[in-house]
Amino acid sequence: MVHDRRSPQPRLTDVAEIAGVSMKTVSNVINGYAHVSERTRTRVLAAIEEVGYRPNLSARNLARGRSGVIALVVPRLEMPYFAALAGRVVERAEARGWFVLIHESGGDLAAEREALEGRFPQRIDGLIVSAQHLAPADLAARTDRTPLVLLGEQTFGSVAHHVAIDNTEAARAAVGHLVHLGRRRIALVGATPGPRQQGYIEALESAGLPVLPELMVPITANSGEEGERAARALLDLGAATPDGIFAVTDWVALGAMRALHLRGLHVPDDVAVVGFDDIPYARAVTPSLTTISPDRSALAEAALRMLEAQIAADGGPVPPVDERVPFTLVVRESTAGIHP
Amino acid sequence: MVHDRRSPQPRLTDVAEIAGVSMKTVSNVINGYAHVSERTRTRVLAAIEEVGYRPNLSARNLARGRSGVIALVVPRLEMPYFAALAGRVVERAEARGWFVLIHESGGDLAAEREALEGRFPQRIDGLIVSAQHLAPADLAARTDRTPLVLLGEQTFGSVAHHVAIDNTEAARAAVGHLVHLGRRRIALVGATPGPRQQGYIEALESAGLPVLPELMVPITANSGEEGERAARALLDLGAATPDGIFAVTDWVALGAMRALHLRGLHVPDDVAVVGFDDIPYARAVTPSLTTISPDRSALAEAALRMLEAQIAADGGPVPPVDERVPFTLVVRESTAGIHP
DNA sequence: CTGAAAGCGCTTACAG
DNA sequence: CTGAAAGCGCTTACAG
């Protein structure tokens, strides 16, 4: 025995003794199992309250053969979108008595693939990957059996569990908003085949506007620098500059706004800008940024619920589901104008 | 026994068997204890590698009488400074095999006090609190014995372990930079008695500039809104508006820059602005923000080291230390000007 | 230096 | 429905 000067924590047996029942009954009450009479339940809960009992998760997990830890893989925690998302995942995990091991992939495909194989310093019960580059083929090639849920724009059909907002619909809403404001030359900053580009195209078409390749600018990363570079390229089109920009992330939008500012263009009078993600900066910047706000709590909750189902199945088959959560279009100054 | 379809994880005994030694020896190797011959060590490590052994932390913590979990209390994870800090704490904790339970206080004094008493859903081995409002008296009144390290501007003398940058020196560096640029009417946005205000005053005095009460504007929260309101109040001073602003946080500085922008003032030509924290937005905003950048990795590492020492003392006396970590002044466009 | 054994605090068949 | 007991995988005095 280690000499321990801390006052000992109450144990399950202490609670059982006080309540005058067996450990099993206390365990049943705590875990919500079985048929415990209301009277017994009340007595047990009173005893728990009395001694301030909190289960020892190490012991519980050891007995259950789990670690109580799930891993969350994001490109980088300092990217505001992922910080906010991680906050919600941690919150929803806590409600389940789980801990979250946050792992940064650096937005690197190789690192994302590695994470899929579950080489973590700790044993984990489940894995949530916010993937930037993973393709269905990577999932099909997966050998590790750890329960997995994918997050992100890319969909994975029936190969893997996935949760996201409807990115096409969200992009349509963003571009539709610009159309509604009377913008006619709407650029896409961050063009890449996928749901958001699809939504951009659909919104233009349903408004009867032409889809112009020169207004669809690819970027090599979702960075401010790339957003700035792409916007500068758009401005160099000469007379035919855009009057609206839909950027695939807020961070890219901030870079684009910088380019506009440096060229002496006014947002939104000259060019209206819409971003995507609703990072905290979106409302702090001047002009504040109109953007798509995914319901991050719903995203986190759905991911954890899907993980929970797989863990409960204990390796048994769980048909992959692809779930959608809500989003909203938040209109701010970058499209509505500044009204101090 | 639960029916488990997952392939079983290798255990310590498996490693011992393969290496042809006792569990004790394997344990010694893993934990770096005692006198193990180099030859044995190599054989054990080879066996660990061979089966891909990773210790079961639940079992280890149960045996050691610890939870392996530390709590980190921050006002709000969506505040970029704390997101970045949390990232580093998680990283340094991981290196020690610890998990971090992140808890949000909402920047509320009552919630900070409660956290001090250790009412967490899990048992925790230690506690890091990034305090906004806690005073030494709150620490003196503490009854809970959980190892604790405080973070933040406020110092706690010999009442509690604390780690921070030298806030006075940092503020002096920030204001000194503005003085060096030739600014003579330098305002403090976020005036409140404490190290940063102290540094502001010292920098002015050592430059032979007057300390003017009307240029020291208090705010009720470190928010963009408050920064904007305070800056607006400064501008309403009329002819005698400031030519430099030192804001107590970046977020406040962003709000101040917004007020300047809306009044048609140019940063830095009309008013140079320096912030504090170096949040990711500081480099994304236009103009990018000159700011004090604390060494967050050093901050996290020091806090964990101090926690480790207390945990190792196992309730025994550990004289509180107040540690300083480095910071740098990062000069960007809000003082140096825009040079695209 | 090594090995056998007890113990950490839970969960869960199992027998009553 | 309840109780006694085994077992989860480690660590650590203890005896050799």
Side-chain angles (χ1 to χ4, degrees):
Chain A
M1 239 320 264
V2 176
H3 175 62
D4 193 332
R5 303 178 207 208
R6 293 168 299 183
S7 63
Q9 300 269 11
R11 293 158 304 167
L12 198 59
T13 47
D14 301 324
V15 173
E17 198 176 325
I18 291 176
V21 299
S22 72
M23 282 175 59
K24 179 83 173 93
T25 303
V26 178
S27 179
N28 282 344
V29 169
I30 290 172
N31 296 301
Y33 294 155
H35 326 270
V36 183
S37 74
E38 197 46 51
R39 213 174 137 276
T40 307
R41 233 180 70 84
T42 309
R43 220 165 56 215
V44 169
L45 291 175
I48 287 174
E49 179 70 23
E50 180 183 338
V51 298
Y53 172 74
R54 287 171 297 171
N56 180 319
L57 296 185
S58 296
R60 169 184 291 176
N61 289 325
L62 178 58
R64 286 188 179 164
R66 308 206 199 288
S67 65
V69 175
I70 63 167
L72 171 67
V73 180
V74 294
R76 198 116 169 68
L77 199 57
E78 293 199 8
M79 292 168 73
Y81 174 75
F82 295 106
L85 178 64
R88 300 287 69 77
V89 169
V90 165
E91 177 188 272
R92 303 318 304 147
E94 191 177 321
R96 292 170 167 81
W98 292 349
F99 285 100
V100 180
L101 176 64
I102 294 174
H103 185 255
E104 299 184 335
S105 68
D108 180 59
L109 173 57
E112 288 185 354
R113 281 191 179 135
E114 252 174 60
L116 238 42
E117 292 310 313
R119 306 311 305 159
F120 290 90
Q122 329 288 1
R123 304 175 188 205
I124 58 172
D125 296 338
L127 183 60
I128 300 177
V129 179
S130 199
Q132 305 280 291
H133 307 293
L134 287 178
D138 295 308
L139 273 299
R142 183 167 188 245
T143 61
D144 189 73
R145 310 274 308 143
T146 307
L148 169 72
V149 174
L150 291 158
L151 262 34
E153 185 182 351
Q154 168 81 49
T155 57
F156 294 88
S158 58
V159 208
H161 297 257
H162 176 246
V163 53
I165 63 170
D166 186 326
N167 278 277
T168 302
E169 195 186 317
R172 229 186 302 141
V175 176
H177 172 60
L178 290 168
V179 169
H180 184 72
L181 291 172
R183 308 297 162 142
R184 288 297 170 263
R185 285 184 58 77
I186 299 168
L188 171 66
V189 170
T192 201
R196 294 187 195 175
Q197 175 167 308
Q198 180 63 29
Y200 165 81
I201 292 172
E202 288 177 16
L204 293 185
E205 286 177 343
S206 78
L209 293 172
V211 177
L212 305 172
E214 69 267 27
L215 291 185
M216 297 169 61
V217 192
I219 55 180
T220 62
N222 288 336
S223 66
E225 289 76 9
E226 276 294 292
E228 185 177 350
R229 190 194 55 66
R232 214 180 297 124
L234 279 168
L235 299 180
D236 288 339
L237 290 177
T241 54
D243 55 9
I245 289 181
F246 170 48
V248 290
T249 73
D250 285 352
W251 206 253
V252 169
L254 293 182
M257 291 210 295
R258 178 182 178 82
L260 296 172
H261 177 84
L262 295 180
R263 291 290 176 99
L265 290 172
H266 191 269
V267 174
D269 298 351
D270 298 318
V271 186
V273 177
V274 180
F276 206 109
D277 283 348
D278 197 21
I279 62 177
Y281 293 175
R283 61 172 183 76
V285 73
T286 311
S288 58
L289 183 63
T290 295
T291 187
I292 294 294
S293 182
D295 186 337
R296 281 187 273 258
S297 287
L299 209 52
E301 177 61 25
L304 288 170
R305 197 173 355 91
M306 287 160 76
L307 221 45
E308 205 168 29
Q310 292 178 66
I311 293 173
D314 204 27
V318 182
V321 304
D322 200 336
E323 200 169 319
R324 293 288 160 267
V325 296
F327 68 87
T328 51
L329 172 74
V330 181
V331 177
R332 297 203 182 93
E333 295 167 348
S334 69
T335 59
I338 302 186
H339 311 287
Chain B
M1 240 314 269
V2 177
H3 176 63
D4 192 331
R5 306 176 204 211
R6 295 167 299 182
S7 63
Q9 299 268 10
R11 293 157 305 166
L12 199 58
T13 47
D14 301 324
V15 174
E17 197 177 327
I18 291 175
V21 299
S22 71
M23 279 176 60
K24 178 86 173 91
T25 303
V26 178
S27 178
N28 283 342
V29 169
I30 289 172
N31 296 301
Y33 294 155
H35 327 270
V36 183
S37 75
E38 196 46 51
R39 212 174 137 275
T40 306
R41 233 181 69 84
T42 310
R43 220 167 54 212
V44 168
L45 290 176
I48 287 174
E49 180 70 22
E50 181 184 337
V51 297
Y53 173 73
R54 287 172 297 171
N56 180 319
L57 295 186
S58 296
R60 170 184 291 175
N61 289 325
L62 177 59
R64 286 187 179 163
R66 307 207 198 289
S67 65
V69 174
I70 62 167
L72 171 67
V73 179
V74 293
R76 197 114 170 69
L77 199 57
E78 292 199 11
M79 292 168 73
Y81 174 76
F82 295 106
L85 178 65
R88 301 287 69 75
V89 169
V90 165
E91 177 187 270
R92 303 319 302 148
E94 191 176 323
R96 291 168 167 82
W98 293 348
F99 286 100
V100 180
L101 176 63
I102 293 173
H103 185 253
E104 301 184 334
S105 67
D108 179 59
L109 173 56
E112 289 185 353
R113 281 192 180 135
E114 251 175 61
L116 238 42
E117 291 310 314
R119 306 312 305 160
F120 289 91
Q122 329 287 358
R123 303 173 190 210
I124 59 172
D125 296 338
L127 183 60
I128 300 177
V129 179
S130 202
Q132 305 280 292
H133 307 293
L134 287 179
D138 295 308
L139 274 301
R142 182 167 189 247
T143 60
D144 190 72
R145 311 274 309 141
T146 308
L148 168 73
V149 174
L150 290 159
L151 263 35
E153 185 182 352
Q154 167 81 48
T155 58
F156 295 87
S158 57
V159 209
H161 297 259
H162 175 245
V163 52
I165 64 170
D166 186 325
N167 277 276
T168 302
E169 196 186 316
R172 229 186 301 141
V175 176
H177 172 60
L178 290 169
V179 169
H180 184 73
L181 291 172
R183 308 297 162 140
R184 287 297 170 263
R185 285 185 57 79
I186 300 168
L188 171 65
V189 171
T192 202
R196 294 187 194 175
Q197 174 167 307
Q198 181 63 27
Y200 164 81
I201 292 172
E202 287 177 18
L204 292 185
E205 284 175 345
S206 79
L209 293 172
V211 177
L212 304 173
E214 69 266 28
L215 291 184
M216 297 168 62
V217 191
I219 55 180
T220 61
N222 287 336
S223 66
E225 287 76 9
E226 277 295 291
E228 185 177 349
R229 190 194 53 69
R232 214 180 299 125
L234 280 168
L235 298 179
D236 288 339
L237 290 176
T241 54
D243 55 9
I245 288 180
F246 169 48
V248 290
T249 74
D250 285 353
W251 206 251
V252 170
L254 294 182
M257 293 211 295
R258 177 183 178 81
L260 297 172
H261 178 82
L262 294 180
R263 290 290 177 100
L265 290 172
H266 190 269
V267 175
D269 298 351
D270 298 316
V271 186
V273 178
V274 180
F276 206 110
D277 283 347
D278 198 21
I279 60 177
Y281 294 174
R283 61 172 186 74
V285 74
T286 311
S288 58
L289 183 63
T290 294
T291 188
I292 296 293
S293 182
D295 186 336
R296 281 187 273 259
S297 287
L299 209 53
E301 179 59 26
L304 287 170
R305 199 175 352 90
M306 288 160 73
L307 221 46
E308 206 168 28
Q310 293 179 66
I311 293 172
D314 204 26
V318 183
V321 304
D322 199 338
E323 201 169 317
R324 293 288 160 268
V325 297
F327 68 87
T328 52
L329 172 74
V330 182
V331 177
R332 298 204 181 93
E333 295 167 351
S334 69
T335 59
I338 303 186
H339 311 287

